[in-house]
Amino acid sequence: MLLSITTEHPPATDLGYLLHKHPGRLQTFDLSFGKAHVFYPEADENRCTACLLLDIDPVGMVRGKNRSQGDLLARYVNDRPYVASSFLSVAISQVLGAAMSGRCKDRPELADTPLPLAARIDVLPVRGGERFLRQLFEPLGYTVEAEAYPLDEKFPAWGNSPYFSVTIRGVTTLSQLLTHLYVLVPVFDNEKHYFVGEAELEKLLAKGGGWLTAHPEKDQITRRYLKHRYGLYREALSRLIEVEELQAPPDEQTASAEEETLERSVSLNDQRHGAVLAALKASGARSVLDLGCGEGKLLRQLLPENQFEQIVGVDVSIRSLEMAQKRLKLDRLPPRQAERLKLLHGSLIYRDRRLEGFDAAAVVEVIEHLDPPRLTALERAVFEFARPKIVVVTTPNQEYNVMWESLPAGQFRHADHRFEWTRAQFQAWAGRICQAFGYTVRYLPVGPEDEKVGSPTQMGVFEF
Ligand code: SAH
């Protein structure tokens, strides 16, 4: 298994400083699974290549282990010595650790400088094919060259193997490049030579925190990195979300303003929060979640009600939470009051233990902001995991849109809405929720009710 890193940025031999490995020498390191050699097949002003060659000892790895376990032949005869796998990640961190963490003793400024770099891996098993290879590297700014190998040269009809020689090129710091390889190589391979536990989760968060959150394939990467250990996977995603500023689209502010203007004539917002508040009060709840609390309009109404001993607002948008903090004047509340109210940054599409054990939850004008897979995830996170005794959900009634003359036909009330449901659609959804999670539901109209099209907002009160 060979990793070659090349730069043509003069003086190219600076690569030696960055890697903390002298271009003139062969260096060998003992690792638990064999040896790692570092050498430079070429090193001059204009082009320099450093190679990390892993010499994995499959027999040594089996020696001393319990022979009765597993398939013995497969433990001696396998692809591990020849392919890039989690062994490569271990070698990168042990042999090139300083370079990966961005330290450069002799030329500190070099470590922070993006350079044109190419990394070639011979060979990488890609479970998921060339498309998956591109889906993972291209969003990180690399161009990808992949050379596939046939399963057997003598039998072309058998097609290609999962093995590729892969070259990625990009202008980046060496530290970033090594970090990307460290995390992604085991993801392609989808096999791990060590037990995957909490330590792996911490590694993934430490190495991936800066870039993984924005990666479109972060779900897949996390799931495979943690080897399909779902508990760990969920925790990782929810913690990645904490570093993620899920930016509202730039026009979110104006879109909100538009929606408000549209609805102002009936001050629908107030009526909605009033209706939710009434349902929560009537339920006798003492602890309440406001899920997708936005700028805290409902929270402001909950706060004066002494019945609610514990009030928690949750939102994925940091900006909204900051506005809520200001709006509620949290820093100026007397300590007894401030203790009752907490704002949490989190996403409702992941299980979050902080949200368990509450009497009630409000989900006001949130579901229509989620596309179908996310909505399915929210359903489980709220009704299966957080599982409050009462959940109040509101969403626009699409039928009512004809009543607003300023809203062009077929258009949603808010630019970020993924759907707006008719009453029948909302009730079909609610029915499914009740069946799946053992709740019962009743429906209440919010706002002026029209005989034909109903009220502008529909509300479902779920209880078990
Ligand atoms: N409930 C508030 C805000 C509704 S706007 C009110 O009635 O005024 C929708 C809110 O849901 C936004 O603040 C948005 O940031 C939040 N949101 C959208 N997706 C979310 C998610 N996955 N997790 C948590 N909050 C989310």
Side-chain angles (χ1 to χ4, degrees), residues 3-7 14-21 40 50 92 96-104 110-119 142 170-182:
L3 167 68
S4 317
I5 297 174
T6 301
T7 185
D14 275 353
L15 191 59
Y17 290 108
L18 277 168
L19 288 168
H20 293 231
K21 303 284 178 283
Y40 292 73
I92 289 177
L96 308 176
M100 179 161 64
S101 60
R103 292 195 304 275
C104 184
L110 261 186
D112 299 327
T113 312
L115 300 170
L117 293 170
Y142 297 102
V171 178
T172 179
T173 62
L174 181 63
S175 155
Q176 272 287 0
L177 175 76
L178 291 173
T179 307
H180 291 152
L181 293 173
Y182 173 93

Side-chain angles (χ1 to χ4, degrees), residues 10 124 133 136 202 239 264 297 319 342 365 404 407 434:
L124 183 65
L133 194 63
L136 262 53
E202 297 306 328
R239 285 176 52 187
R264 188 172 301 145
K297 289 181 198 149
R319 207 156 42 140
K342 234 202 285 178
E365 306 294 284
W404 279 306
L407 186 68
C434 291

Side-chain angles (χ1 to χ4, degrees), residues 5-316:
I5 297 174
T6 301
T7 185
E8 294 182 344
H9 184 74
T13 42
D14 275 353
L15 191 59
Y17 290 108
L18 277 168
L19 288 168
H20 293 231
K21 303 284 178 283
H22 194 285
R25 281 210 308 267
L26 161 70
Q27 285 179 262
T28 296
F29 304 84
D30 281 315
L31 301 174
S32 62
F33 45 80
K35 287 184 189 309
H37 310 282
V38 178
F39 58 95
Y40 292 73
E42 54 184 349
D44 61 39
E45 277 285 297
N46 296 318
R47 192 176 155 93
C48 181
T49 297
C51 288
L52 173 67
L53 177 72
L54 291 199
D55 189 2
I56 292 169
D57 174 9
V59 177
M61 277 171 16
V62 180
R63 201 174 289 137
K65 300 257 168 74
N66 183 350
R67 277 154 192 262
S68 64
Q69 265 176 17
D71 177 349
L72 195 57
L73 182 62
R75 288 157 87 206
Y76 282 104
V77 183
N78 55 47
D79 66 0
R80 299 295 90 184
Y82 312 108
V83 304
S85 66
S86 48
F87 290 122
L88 175 63
S89 300
V90 174
I92 289 177
S93 75
Q94 297 197 355
V95 177
L96 308 176
M100 179 161 64
S101 60
R103 292 195 304 275
C104 184
K105 215 169 50 213
D106 298 318
R107 304 271 174 87
E109 77 292 347
L110 261 186
D112 299 327
T113 312
L115 300 170
L117 293 170
R120 181 183 164 104
I121 305 166
D122 295 283
V123 291
L124 183 65
V126 184
R127 325 266 169 211
E130 185 174 337
R131 224 182 99 219
F132 186 53
L133 194 63
R134 294 185 182 282
Q135 278 171 346
L136 262 53
F137 281 124
E138 287 175 352
L140 297 169
Y142 297 102
T143 58
V144 178
E145 257 169 57
E147 200 182 315
Y149 292 101
L151 213 45
D152 190 317
E153 283 165 3
K154 293 205 191 84
F155 300 96
W158 290 359
N160 281 337
S161 69
Y163 301 108
F164 289 83
S165 281
V166 176
T167 306
I168 58 169
R169 291 173 211 281
V171 178
T172 179
T173 62
L174 181 63
S175 155
Q176 272 287 0
L177 175 76
L178 291 173
T179 307
H180 291 152
L181 293 173
Y182 173 93
V183 171
L184 295 181
V185 163
V187 167
F188 290 114
D189 182 34
N190 214 14
E191 254 177 57
K192 277 273 172 98
H193 70 275
Y194 42 74
F195 174 72
V196 173
E198 287 286 337
E200 293 316 300
L201 175 89
E202 297 306 328
K203 272 188 222 162
L204 177 67
L205 292 171
K207 296 280 187 286
W211 53 273
L212 190 51
T213 50
H215 198 296
E217 295 299 329
K218 75 167 173 246
D219 285 23
Q220 280 253 42
I221 295 172
T222 310
R223 190 168 337 124
R224 283 187 173 215
Y225 188 91
L226 297 172
K227 229 187 150 196
H228 305 273
R229 294 264 322 265
Y230 282 96
L232 289 177
Y233 158 65
R234 277 208 217 94
E235 187 182 337
L237 279 185
S238 64
R239 285 176 52 187
L240 282 171
I241 281 283
E242 282 173 20
V243 279
E244 176 181 25
E245 254 264 38
L246 258 193
Q247 291 283 3
D251 58 352
E252 170 93 354
Q253 300 269 325
T254 39
S256 294
E258 267 166 32
E259 187 181 20
E260 265 178 27
T261 326
L262 195 66
E263 294 183 342
R264 188 172 301 145
S265 54
V266 285
S267 70
L268 186 56
N269 219 3
D270 291 346
Q271 292 189 43
R272 195 155 44 216
H273 291 141
V276 174
L277 179 67
L280 292 173
K281 274 171 74 174
S283 75
R286 300 193 168 280
S287 53
V288 192
L289 294 164
D290 184 6
L291 303 175
C293 62
E295 299 161 14
K297 289 181 198 149
L298 177 64
L299 294 172
R300 200 164 55 170
Q301 298 207 30
L302 293 170
L303 203 54
E305 303 291 339
N306 287 331
Q307 169 185 344
F308 304 122
E309 293 159 9
Q310 204 190 350
I311 304 167
V312 171
V314 183
D315 208 285
V316 77

Side-chain angles (χ1 to χ4, degrees), residues 241 246 248 252 256 259-260 269 272-273 290-298 314-318 320-321 344-350 362-370 374 378 394 414 416-417:
I241 281 283
L246 258 193
E252 170 93 354
S256 294
E259 187 181 20
E260 265 178 27
N269 219 3
R272 195 155 44 216
H273 291 141
D290 184 6
L291 303 175
C293 62
E295 299 161 14
K297 289 181 198 149
L298 177 64
V314 183
D315 208 285
V316 77
S317 151
I318 296 259
S320 296
L321 290 174
L344 297 179
H345 185 213
S347 173
L348 302 173
I349 60 176
Y350 304 113
V363 189
V364 179
E365 306 294 284
V366 173
I367 57 173
E368 64 276 8
H369 290 266
L370 302 177
R374 285 172 187 257
L378 174 139
T394 77
H414 188 294
D416 188 48
H417 284 180

